[in-house]
Structures are given as structure tokens and as C-alpha cells.
Amino acid sequence: MTPAAVLRGLKPDWLSDPKVWRTEVLAGLVVGLALIPEAISFSVIAGVDPAIGLFASFTMAVVISVVGGRRAMISAATGAVALVIAPLNREHGLGYLIAAVILAGIFQVALGALGVAKLMRFVPRSVMVGFVNALAILIFMAQVPEMHDVPWAVYPLIAGGLALMVFFPRVTRVIPAPLVSIVILTVITVAAGIAVPTVGDKGDLPASLPVPGLPDVPFTLDTLTTIAPYAFAMALVGLMESLMTAKLVDDITDTHSSKTRESIGQGIANIVTGFFGGMGGCAMIGQTMINVKVSGARTRLSTFLAGTFLMVLCVVFGPVVSDIPMAALVAVMVMVSFATFDWHSIAPKTLRRMPAGEIAVMVITVAVVVATHNLAIGVVVGSVTAMVVFAKRVARLADVTAVTDPDGTAVVYSVSGELFFASSNDLVGRFDYAGDPQRVVIDLSAAHIWDASSVAALDAIETKYAQRGKTVEIIGLNDPSADLHGRLTGELTSH
């Protein structure tokens, strides 16, 4: 292969393919527009000036486009992070909030380096489906206030925006339908002088770029103990949402991403954001869906441009952006919520075939997320529920059958299945201690010992037989089971 061919192979897709370049640029513009009202709204939740949220969205998107592990994913100021740090800002002020953002980034880098991303393998599919469906519901619910107690003209504008996004792709996909919808609705409202809520009503846009600096706090141990709990909570919530979003984008694009790099990248992005006076953030699922699923972006360029366009639109084109009707952005987000929801998961045909436990896990995940408005809590509760359901299901697979020798001098108990805390608890009661002959053989050829509870149960069985003067022989252990049993037998009780 020639050096020129090697260099061509190293080029990003958007440099070698004009169509990809166009898609990425337009996707970045759409997301940049959609980020503005979201960032302002999250600033209100956190109790800070709108510029703090907009700065965070700018720096998060630009930095993560370089250091993140998932291409085309959008990171910016988010509601989950705003909810976590709002009490800190309310009680101690902006300086402590900024310091907490930097510390949260340090925590995320450390957790990423320690391999916390590997825990994603323990999130079951039913939880993932519940997560996606809950996300779609939350995105839709977030738009409801924008449709309540507003001028009547808002409703036909939203309907028109939705119609444009449904039918315009049938004409051409060169220009993203959400961008067309935003431009047309803005032109109509401005030209006709229609009085409806606009982006400018959400708050003033910044007039200059953010500048780096240190948080205005005393650098003492007392400050550290004050911000550490909020920073750690923010780090966990941010990583949970980011890793779940990365996994979702992996599935949509049928590509793999480095979750460890993404974890560390989120931390770096938050550290940079903190030094530039932003409120911090994580992956934004709604905007990521606009970027990946609606606009078709697939590279880091769209993420970088989303942040860049956001700041350019605010600083240079602030008056124009302020005139965008909120109805246009509401229509985009409603379309995103419908596209995000996994309608197949609630189809009658699917529900009839799905095990009841899987359906319960999905419903519980959705219910908890919608009730708490916290995706991280829903994922944790859903995963724990799935583990309980799995444990109950596997526990039923353990079985014991007894065969007595014809001469009546020995009995062989064949134990099959997975022996762990849920199944071994019932094991002790499956033996006839009084009626069995002097010699008892427990055959574990078809079983596997997983934990100390199972070893303790076997010890208890041997003890009960020994109290009656009978001997027990355990045979058939596979190597891992024999190793665990050999290390723990006789060591689990104090008497």
C-alpha cells in the first residue's frame, strides 16, 4: 500500500465524502439550535444564569467530540446533572457549583480508569428497553409545558412542524427535515407577525465567548467535604446516562464504541467545562437522537459543530435565534420522542411471547424513571429487579433425586442445577436424615457451586447426618466447585 493510500485511509469520512460532510454539518446545525432552549431550561433548574448552561453545552460538545469514545453522541448541559447540583448552588453559591463540576470530572476520569464501564454488561435488555421508552416519555413530557397556556397559534405551528418532518423526507433527504421545519416556521411567524413564545423568551443569550478561570471558593478541606458528595453523585449520574446513551447509539448504528474512553472523556469534558465556568453535563439522549436517528450523523464532526454552532448562533446571530418560535423546537422534540420509543416492545404480539418477568422489569424501569425524572435511578432499580427475577428463575432449576442401593446400605442423592444463595437455601430440607441408611452419597456431577451459601448448605447437611452417626460423601464436583468447596468447607460456622 502506497503512502498516499495510507493517508486516504486515515482521513475521516467527512473529509473524503462530500455527502457525509453535508450530513454532518447540517446535523450539527440542527442540534446546535435544539441545544439553546434546552440549555437555558436546565440553567433555570440549576438556579444559574442561562449563559452558564450555554457555556457548558458549548465546551462539553466540543471537548467530547475529541476525547469521547462514542462518535456522533452529543454531550451538553443536562437536566439530570442540574437536579443534582441545584441544592449546592442554592445553599453555597455558584463558586461551589463550579468547583463540584471540576471534582465530578476528576471522579469520572478515575472511575473510567478503574473500569466502571464494564458494569454495563450487567444491564439486561429489558432494562435497556425500559430506559429507552422512559426516555421517550420524558422527552414528550418536557414539551407539555410549552403547549400549556399558550396562544392558539402555537398548536397549528406544532402540527405544521410535525407534518413537515413526516413528509419532507419523501421529497429529499439532502437537508434534514428538522432544520427545514425550524426555518419555515420561523419565517412564517416573523413575516406574519404572529405573537408566540420564542427562544428569546427563555433568557438572554451570551454576547461573548467564555473565558477560563478558577472557581471562586476557598481551597480548604471544608470546601472539599462540602462539594464531594454532590460531585460524586453528579459523576455517577453523568456516567450512567452517558454509557446508556452510548450503548443505545451502538445499537442504532450497529457499531462498537469504547465505553472506557467515553467515561474518561466525560470526565475531561466536565473538568474543562468547570474551568470555563459551565455547569457541567453528560450525554444528551434527546439531542443525540436528533443527531443520529433523525439527521443521520455518524462522525465526531457533527458533535463538534453542534457545540460550535451553538456558541456562534448565540454570540453572532443572537437576535435571529431569539426569534425562533418554541413551537418549532417542540415539534422537533415530539418527533424525537416518537422515533425513540420502542413501539415493538409494547405490541400485543410481543407481549404475548415475552416472559412475565421481562415485562415486569421493563414496566418497573419506565415507572421509576418517569416518577423520579432520573434515568440513573430507573436503570439501577430495573437492573436490581432483573437480578431478583433471574435469581428466582434459576433457583427453581435446582433439583434433588434419591436412589437407594438394593441392599439398603447406601443412598445416592443426585443434585442438578445451579447452587447459589437462592437455590441452596431449600437444599437442606430435601434430605431424609432420619430414614436414610448409614452411608449417604451426594452426587454433584450435574450441579455447580457458585457461592459460600451453597458450601454452608452442604456443611449443614453433613452436620445433620453426622449428628445421627451417618457418613456423607460428596462426589462429582467440577474443578471450580471443588476449589470453592475445598477452601470454604468447615470455615463458615463458629461452632
Side-chain angles (χ1 to χ4, degrees), residues 456-480:
L458 292 171
D459 284 353
I461 293 168
E462 290 188 81
T463 300
K464 287 180 178 292
Y465 277 116
Q467 290 171 347
R468 293 168 174 79
K470 301 176 182 180
T471 60
V472 175
E473 180 184 3
I474 297 176
I475 63 172
L477 288 168
N478 57 34
D479 291 342

Side-chain angles (χ1 to χ4, degrees), residues 87-159:
L88 179 63
N89 179 65
R90 188 167 55 248
E91 295 171 15
H92 299 279
L94 180 62
Y96 281 81
L97 183 151
I98 300 301
V101 170
I102 297 172
L103 183 58
I106 295 171
F107 281 146
Q108 288 178 328
V109 171
L111 290 170
L114 291 172
V116 70
K118 295 177 182 177
L119 296 176
M120 286 301 297
R121 72 182 67 180
F122 297 107
V123 178
R125 182 186 178 279
S126 53
V127 174
M128 191 68 189
V129 172
F131 168 84
V132 170
N133 290 346
L135 161 68
I137 294 171
L138 287 184
I139 292 174
F140 182 83
M141 289 174 61
Q143 312 314 309
V144 173
E146 304 295 340
M147 296 183 276
H148 177 67
D149 195 23
V150 292
W152 67 269
V154 168
Y155 304 110
L157 286 172
I158 293 174

